[in-house]
Amino acid sequence: MPINNCQIRKINGTDRAVFLPIKITNPNNNRSIKTWGLVDTGATDCAIPLQIANLLNSSHITGQEKIISTGNGKASAFRHNLTISIFHPEKPDENGN
């Protein structure tokens, strides 16, 4: 289902960005977490903070290492397969609750 007509939200001081409710699931153990995600239509990969990866029991050391470019320069990242579901912020009945 397309997600249309979402307002731009300010989260943690970030302005002019689209954040939507998401659910991230580790398909290896079905652990999941609901949070808000920044929608970046030009991104090749999705970045998940280490704290969230730990909650999903997805150890960064088991992933394939990759050097990425960020706004703060180069950084190490670790590739994993996770499922990300995106929901409309004003339709909580469709948010997988």
Side-chain angles (χ1 to χ4, degrees):
M1 172 178 178
I3 298 174
N4 298 314
N5 303 320
C6 295
Q7 294 182 7
I8 293 175
R9 295 174 181 260
K10 185 182 268 192
I11 296 180
N12 294 333
T14 302
D15 198 9
R16 300 180 53 100
V18 178
F19 288 88
L20 293 174
I22 62 173
K23 181 168 78 169
I24 306 169
T25 305
N26 181 342
N28 296 317
N29 59 21
N30 289 322
R31 285 190 181 193
S32 65
I33 186 168
K34 293 179 185 175
T35 186
W36 288 83
L38 170 66
V39 176
D40 182 352
T41 58
T44 302
D45 296 307
C46 295
I48 308 295
L50 182 59
Q51 299 89 328
I52 290 179
N54 288 339
L55 291 172
L56 296 171
N57 200 24
S58 181
S59 173
H60 71 282
I61 59 173
T62 62
Q64 177 185 4
E65 187 172 11
K66 176 182 179 181
I67 303 300
I68 60 170
S69 296
T70 72
N72 290 326
K74 302 278 185 190
S76 291
F78 297 87
R79 188 175 299 235
H80 293 274
N81 290 320
L82 300 171
T83 301
I84 301 176
S85 303
I86 304 171
F87 303 100
H88 196 290
E90 297 168 8
K91 298 183 180 176
D93 56 321
E94 298 175 9
N95 285 350
N97 292 332

